[in-house]
Structure formats: structure tokens, C-alpha cells
């Protein structure tokens, strides 16, 4: 019996009957020889962790554009916090932690530069629209690995696809990741907003502080404990914690996510993305060679949005400058 087979048997014995075991996976689009050591979900996690799109997350905006300080979150640190919270919940519920981690690590790979500002910009100009969750799946299925995709298991792709859209994940692990994403970004965005002077702790409604706690750690703990104590055949919070969770989400949109002090530069960021998109749709021959196959098969809008959405913030700015900003005359 291989190490992988022992792990698969151990999953059967240890995990909840509501968990998704590797042996019950719907599998990959292209069959592969199993790894002698890792289960399929472990293998998917490792493929995501080592892919180029994952590394680029370190230079993509979470909320604050190009913040002057080393302690503000990026899209990469957000992803790691989501993974930690999701794994804690999954382990406590005896769900499949490897599957949960793979979904969490891959959930934002399709996010644009400049956070949601870039996403909204592409959504406005692309003929096929743009949703970062769907683009994350496209990165995993089509764009990574020199256009061959990572050939991940269907359950991982489903969890990534459903982490923020109106769709409901087929697995409990996917539903855990959806909650973990919101728990992570609401709480670390409060932390960053306070650091930036956009928000004060006293601005958070007193009833939310009473129910959830005053600190980031207290709030996360309250939410995670409520999920663990109230979930079984589905993932849910208690009524009072869910109500506070929803109210905090609404508060953050009003106080931070649409606050001109935090979002004042987003108009410029959107124009950068729209200008790049217009240029590459008009001049598709200027796209890198790896996107020419997409151009021929799916058109300029798809190829341009794939290229631009994969850019880091600084690469998008650098590309914009090289295309639209006059260079100094040199002798």
C-alpha cells in the first residue's frame, strides 16, 4: 500500500460523513497517473502554491492602492489569511482540510490589478463581462502551465468558482471557504483602515463590538466558533452572530469600501485598466505571444482581459507608462 493509499484510507476513517474524501472526487478533466505520496487534493494544493499566478498576488492590491507602509495587506496576504481561517474551520468540523486549503489558495488567482477597481473596469468594457471568481477558474483551467491549465479536481474548481458569486458550492469545504473569505477580508480591512486613519475603533457600532468583540482576534474567534458550533450537514452561524456578521459587512461597505478617503485613487486605476484594454483590443498584435492562441480562438476581448487581469499593480502602471507617457529625449 502506497503512502497515498494509506492517506485515502485514513480520510475514510477520520473525516465527517459530510466531508468530501479524495476517493469520492469527480476527478480531473484529463486522467493522470496518481501520485504515490500525495492525495489528489494535496496535489492540487501544491500545483496552486507553485504556479506563477499565485506569486503575482504579492503585488496586487487588496483594498488600499499602493499604500506607503509594509504592514498593509496585499492580495497574497489576504489569501494566506483566508487559508488559515478556512483550515481551522475545516479541521474542527472534520472536513477535508487539503481540499479546503486548495480552494482557499486558488480563490483569488484571477483577481485584477488594483483590487475591485480593476475588476469593475474590465466588467464595464469587456463584451463578455468580468467576474474575478470565474477568472480564477479560467486561470486554473486554461491560462496556467503555458496554456494547458493545472488540470485540477472538479471539487477544487467548484469551490473557487463559488467563493463569492451567487452560486452555492457543492461541497461543505467550498462553503467554508466562502465564509472564510469574508471573515478574513472584513477583519483585516478594519485593521488596515484603522492603520490608515480611515476608521477608528469607536466608529464600529457598539452592538457589533458587544456581540463580536473589540479586537480582530476576538471578532474572528466569535465568527469561527459560531460556524463550528452550528454546522453539521451545512455551514451556518447562529442567528445572532450571522446578524452581526451581515451588519458588519454592510458597515464596511459604507465606511471603507466606498469611502473617498480610501478609494480616492480608484478612478485613476480604472482608467489605467480601461486604457490598456482599449489599446490591446485595438492592437492585438502587441499582446505577448502566449495570448495569440486565445486571440485566434476566442477573440481580442478575451485575450486582452486575460492578459490585463493577470498583471500586478506595478506591471500595469509600467505598461501604461510605456504605452501612453512620452519618454525623455536622450542624446
Amino acid at each position: 500500500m502506497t503512502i497515498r493509499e494509506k492517506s485515502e484510507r485514513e480520510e475514510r476513517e477520520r473525516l465527517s460523513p459530510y466531508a468530501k474524501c479524495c476517493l469520492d472526487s469527480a476527478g480531473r478533466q484529463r486522467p493522470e497517473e496518481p501520485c504515490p505520496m500525495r492525495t489528489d487534493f494535496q496535489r492540487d494544493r501544491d500545483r496552486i502554491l507553485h504556479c506563477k499566478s499565485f506569486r503575482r498576488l504579492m503585488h496586487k492590491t487588496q483594498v488600499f492602492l499602493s499604500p506607503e507602509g509594509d504592514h498593509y495587506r496585499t492580495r497574497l496576504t489576504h489569501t494566506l489569511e483566508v487559508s488559515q481561517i478556512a483550515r481551522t474551520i475545516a479541521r474542527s468540523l472534520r472536513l477535508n482540510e487539503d481540499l479546503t486549503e486548495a480552494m482557499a489558495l486558488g480563490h483569488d488567482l484571477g483577481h485584477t490589478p488594483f483590487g475591485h477597481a480593476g475588476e469593475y473596469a474590465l466588467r464595464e468594457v469587456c463584451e463578455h463581462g468580468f467576474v474575478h471568481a470565474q477568472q480564477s477558474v479560467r486561470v486554473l483551467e486554461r491560462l496556467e502551465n503555458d496554456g494547458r491549465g493545472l488540470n485540477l479536481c472538479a471539487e477544487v474548481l467548484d469551490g473557487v468558482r463559488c467563493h463569492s458569486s451567487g452560486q452555492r458550492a457543492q461541497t461543505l469545504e467550498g462553503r467554508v471557504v466562502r465564509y472564510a473569505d469574508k471573515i478574513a477580508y472584513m477583519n483585516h480591512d478594519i485593521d488596515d483602515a484603522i492603520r490608515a486613519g480611515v476608521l477608528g475603533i469607536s466608529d464600529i457600532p457598539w452592538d457589533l463590538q458587544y456581540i463580536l468583540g473589540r479586537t480582530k482576534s476576538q471578532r474572528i474567534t466569535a465568527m469561527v466558533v459560531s460556524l463550528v458550533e452550528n454546522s453539521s450537514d451545512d455551514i451556518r452561524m447562529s442567528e445572532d452572530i450571522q446578524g452581526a456578521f451581515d451588519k458588519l459587512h454592510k458597515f464596511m461597505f459604507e465606511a471603507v469600501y466606498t469611502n473617498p478617503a480610501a478609494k480616492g485613487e480608484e478612478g485613476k486605476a480604472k482608467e489605467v485598466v480601461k486604457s490598456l484594454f482599449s489599446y490591446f483590443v485595438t492592437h492585438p498584435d502587441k499582446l505577448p505571444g502566449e495570448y495569440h492562441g486565445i486571440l485566434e480562438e476566442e477573440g481580442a476581448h478575451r485575450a486582452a482581459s486575460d492578459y490585463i487581469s493577470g498583471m500586478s499593480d506595478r506591471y500595469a502602471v509600467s505598461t501604461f507608462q510605456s504605452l501612453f507617457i512620452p519618454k525623455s529625449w536622450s542624446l
Side-chain angles (χ1 to χ4, degrees), residues 216-229:
K216 175 169 66 72
S217 178
Q218 290 170 346
R219 290 188 299 270
I220 292 175
T221 298
M223 294 174 183
V224 169
V225 168
S226 183
L227 283 171
V228 172
E229 290 181 345

Side-chain angles (χ1 to χ4, degrees), residues 43-99:
R43 205 176 189 185
D44 285 0
R45 174 204 58 203
D46 295 349
R47 289 179 180 183
I48 292 169
L49 189 63
H50 290 283
C51 75
K52 291 185 292 185
S53 300
F54 187 81
R55 295 195 292 275
R56 289 199 296 269
L57 293 176
M58 69 182 297
H59 296 298
K60 289 192 176 188
T61 289
Q62 173 58 26
V63 170
F64 295 92
L65 294 175
S66 302
E68 294 183 1
D70 293 335
H71 297 145
Y72 290 92
R73 271 73 172 188
T74 66
R75 191 62 58 177
L76 177 60
T77 56
H78 161 72
T79 295
L80 296 178
E81 292 185 39
V82 173
S83 176
Q84 179 270 316
I85 293 170
R87 286 171 52 221
T88 296
I89 298 168
R91 184 178 299 180
S92 299
L93 292 173
R94 292 191 299 121
L95 298 176
N96 195 313
E97 193 174 341
D98 297 322
L99 171 59

Side-chain angles (χ1 to χ4, degrees), residues 82 86 100 103-104 107 163 173-182:
V82 173
T100 303
M103 294 170 175
H107 83 280
H163 83 267
E173 289 84 356
R175 298 172 202 174
V176 164
V177 170
R178 182 166 181 162
Y179 260 113
D181 182 35
K182 292 181 172 60

Side-chain angles (χ1 to χ4, degrees), residues 28 30 32 44 47-48 51 109 139-142 144-145 148-152:
R28 310 179 187 280
R30 301 185 301 275
E32 296 182 10
D44 285 0
R47 289 179 180 183
I48 292 169
C51 75
L109 293 184
V139 168
L140 295 168
E141 283 190 311
R142 177 74 170 84
E144 269 293 341
N145 195 23
R148 295 186 297 273
L150 300 182
N151 195 32
L152 304 184

Side-chain angles (χ1 to χ4, degrees), residues 15-212:
L15 295 183
S16 160
Y18 301 113
K20 175 61 71 172
C21 293
C22 283
L23 289 174
D24 298 325
S25 171
R28 310 179 187 280
Q29 186 175 19
R30 301 185 301 275
E32 296 182 10
E33 190 70 25
C35 174
M37 297 187 64
R38 296 169 296 167
T39 68
D40 282 347
F41 294 153
Q42 291 172 342
R43 205 176 189 185
D44 285 0
R45 174 204 58 203
D46 295 349
R47 289 179 180 183
I48 292 169
L49 189 63
H50 290 283
C51 75
K52 291 185 292 185
S53 300
F54 187 81
R55 295 195 292 275
R56 289 199 296 269
L57 293 176
M58 69 182 297
H59 296 298
K60 289 192 176 188
T61 289
Q62 173 58 26
V63 170
F64 295 92
L65 294 175
S66 302
E68 294 183 1
D70 293 335
H71 297 145
Y72 290 92
R73 271 73 172 188
T74 66
R75 191 62 58 177
L76 177 60
T77 56
H78 161 72
T79 295
L80 296 178
E81 292 185 39
V82 173
S83 176
Q84 179 270 316
I85 293 170
R87 286 171 52 221
T88 296
I89 298 168
R91 184 178 299 180
S92 299
L93 292 173
R94 292 191 299 121
L95 298 176
N96 195 313
E97 193 174 341
D98 297 322
L99 171 59
T100 303
E101 186 177 19
M103 294 170 175
L105 292 177
H107 83 280
D108 267 355
L109 293 184
H111 228 302
T112 57
F114 313 122
H116 286 287
E119 179 176 17
Y120 299 151
L122 284 181
R123 188 176 300 169
E124 291 173 15
V125 295
C126 290
E127 61 185 15
H128 50 73
F130 189 91
V131 178
H132 80 269
Q134 296 174 3
Q135 187 68 18
S136 294
V137 174
R138 181 170 171 81
V139 168
L140 295 168
E141 283 190 311
R142 177 74 170 84
L143 302 181
E144 269 293 341
N145 195 23
D146 297 324
R148 295 186 297 273
L150 300 182
N151 195 32
L152 304 184
C153 294
E155 293 79 12
V156 175
L157 296 173
D158 174 72
V160 171
R161 182 182 295 107
C162 298
H163 83 267
S164 67
S165 63
Q167 301 179 72
R168 181 177 170 86
Q170 296 175 5
T171 62
L172 295 196
E173 289 84 356
R175 298 172 202 174
V176 164
V177 170
R178 182 166 181 162
Y179 260 113
D181 182 35
K182 292 181 172 60
I183 291 172
Y185 75 63
M186 283 196 294
N187 285 289
H188 66 50
D189 291 349
I190 289 173
D191 198 29
D192 283 354
I194 291 173
R195 179 176 291 108
V198 173
L199 195 67
I201 189 64
S202 60
D203 294 323
I204 301 174
W206 69 268
D207 58 326
L208 297 184
Q209 296 191 52
Y210 178 77
I211 296 172
L212 300 175

